[in-house]
Amino acid sequence: MVHLTDQDKKAIKCLWSQVDVGAVGGETLGRLMCVHPWTQRYFGNFGDLSCVSAIMNNPKVKAHGKKVLSSFGDAVNNMDNLKEVFGHLSELHCDKLHVDPENFKLLGNTLVIVLSLQLGKEFTPEMQAAWQKLVAGVASALSHKYH
Amino acid sequence: MVLSPEDKNHVRSTWDKIGGHGAEYGAEALERMFTSFPTTKTYFPHFDVSHGSAQVKAHGKKVADALANAAGHLDDLPGALSALSDLHAHKLRVDPVNFKLLSHCLLVTLANHHPAEFTPGVHASLDKFLASVSTVLTSKYR
């Protein structure tokens, strides 16, 4: 179970205010599918995912990436009760989408890499540590209702 | 997992770009790993792991030099990493999960310092390279 300190929460909120949800979301989901191609199994109806440029320019990838990252915004605003906030999404991912929770960890780590890429110096080791806790918390909350 | 010719080119060009910064990035990756994943510190109880530690800097250089050597021998990683593979299997015995944690922090570090070069294609190739190195380093574990 992750424990976010007040300092972690402050750092996360500060960084989040600078995040372009559409751009970072699309970049994160796209890179997930490029670096870990087996994750494409969940996106059979997304059209052309045949190569890096097809994935990164795919409008469905961008749109879905934005959707996924918007829900991270809910996490940032509710860091003290992630399990409650992600309850319905957890059920959805288990019962309807049948997504292996391992993928939540892959996505979380890809997001951390994209934040590092975009924020440079500001993404200090301490900032990374706070975000690693948050993505682990989200992954855990999303797996919580699995059965 | 096989490194394609394109993967190998991406790895080589990344290491050219890193130039003389290898030691610095190695140390930064270790610092990121110790900060984000405190359990990794259990392998370094004898280290001062605080920011700027001379021991972490020295160890970062060792890691970077080993990766540079690997990048220069992409056609024979088992051969190039044989001694390190023995060391990790018989002496260090680092649990395999930790290689993923260090690899992740190396990618975070490289993305941080070379955003323009860290395209999705290069990112994918580097991930494969680090996974291949990790596989070789744990290949003699049992």
Side-chain angles (χ1 to χ4, degrees), chain A residues 16-69:
Chain A
W16 184 253
S17 65
Q18 300 170 55
V19 167
D20 176 337
V21 167
V24 170
E27 188 73 20
T28 300
L29 189 64
R31 280 178 185 258
L32 177 73
M33 291 198 224
C34 291
V35 180
H36 313 282
W38 55 94
T39 58
Q40 293 169 27
R41 71 189 304 282
Y42 300 110
F43 303 101
N45 61 341
F46 269 36
D48 188 5
L49 299 175
S50 59
C51 64
V52 169
S53 57
I55 293 170
M56 298 312 290
N57 292 308
N58 184 308
K60 286 189 172 178
V61 171
K62 291 184 186 186
H64 196 69
K66 184 174 178 178
K67 197 176 182 185
V68 167
L69 207 65

Side-chain angles (χ1 to χ4, degrees), chain B residues 2-3 17 27 29 43 49 57-58 60 71 87 90 94 111 113 116 119 130-131 134 136 138 140:
Chain B
V2 175
L3 292 174
K17 200 76 205 167
Y43 293 97
V49 294
K57 278 189 185 155
L87 182 73
H90 304 124
V94 173
H113 291 278
T119 62
L130 293 173
S134 302
V136 171
T138 54
K140 299 179 193 175

Side-chain angles (χ1 to χ4, degrees), chain B residues 40-91:
Chain B
T40 56
K41 293 189 288 185
T42 58
Y43 293 97
F44 300 91
H46 53 300
F47 263 34
D48 163 20
V49 294
S50 61
H51 180 70
S53 151
Q55 286 174 307
V56 173
K57 278 189 185 155
H59 200 67
K61 180 172 185 337
K62 269 192 195 172
V63 170
D65 288 346
L67 287 172
N69 180 43
H73 294 88
L74 294 171
D75 293 325
D76 182 23
L77 286 177
L81 294 169
S82 181
L84 272 178
S85 180
D86 288 333
L87 182 73
H88 282 79
H90 304 124
K91 185 145 182 266

Side-chain angles (χ1 to χ4, degrees), chain A residues 27 31 34-36 52 56 102 108-110 112-113 116-126 128-130 132, chain B residues 28 31-33 35-37 51 100 104-105 107-109 111-112 114-116 118-121 123-124 127-128:
Chain A
E27 188 73 20
R31 280 178 185 258
C34 291
V35 180
H36 313 282
V52 169
M56 298 312 290
E102 191 59 32
N109 280 334
T110 306
V112 165
I113 290 173
S116 182
L117 185 67
Q118 301 217 345
L119 293 152
K121 267 203 175 77
E122 218 178 315
F123 203 69
T124 60
E126 291 71 26
Q128 178 187 349
Q132 296 287 172
Chain B
E28 182 179 325
E31 185 182 356
R32 285 182 181 278
M33 185 185 72
T35 312
S36 281
F37 308 109
H51 180 70
K100 283 194 180 174
H104 171 66
C105 291
L107 291 176
V108 170
T109 304
N112 200 279
H114 297 282
F118 202 79
T119 62
H123 175 175
D127 192 283
K128 280 173 82 175

Side-chain angles (χ1 to χ4, degrees), chain A residues 1-108:
Chain A
M1 198 53 248
V2 288
H3 171 69
L4 289 154
T5 64
D6 288 339
Q7 210 174 345
D8 289 331
K9 290 177 192 174
K10 209 170 164 193
I12 288 167
K13 286 193 179 197
C14 172
L15 197 137
W16 184 253
S17 65
Q18 300 170 55
V19 167
D20 176 337
V21 167
V24 170
E27 188 73 20
T28 300
L29 189 64
R31 280 178 185 258
L32 177 73
M33 291 198 224
C34 291
V35 180
H36 313 282
W38 55 94
T39 58
Q40 293 169 27
R41 71 189 304 282
Y42 300 110
F43 303 101
N45 61 341
F46 269 36
D48 188 5
L49 299 175
S50 59
C51 64
V52 169
S53 57
I55 293 170
M56 298 312 290
N57 292 308
N58 184 308
K60 286 189 172 178
V61 171
K62 291 184 186 186
H64 196 69
K66 184 174 178 178
K67 197 176 182 185
V68 167
L69 207 65
S70 302
S71 70
F72 255 91
D74 294 337
V76 171
N77 291 325
N78 294 282
M79 288 187 268
D80 290 329
N81 55 332
L82 294 175
K83 286 194 164 57
E84 288 75 23
V85 166
F86 284 95
H88 288 304
L89 273 177
S90 181
E91 284 168 358
L92 177 77
H93 281 77
C94 172
D95 300 331
K96 294 263 149 57
L97 304 177
H98 309 292
V99 174
D100 179 345
E102 191 59 32
N103 293 283
F104 306 144
K105 296 178 193 173
L106 290 179
L107 181 77

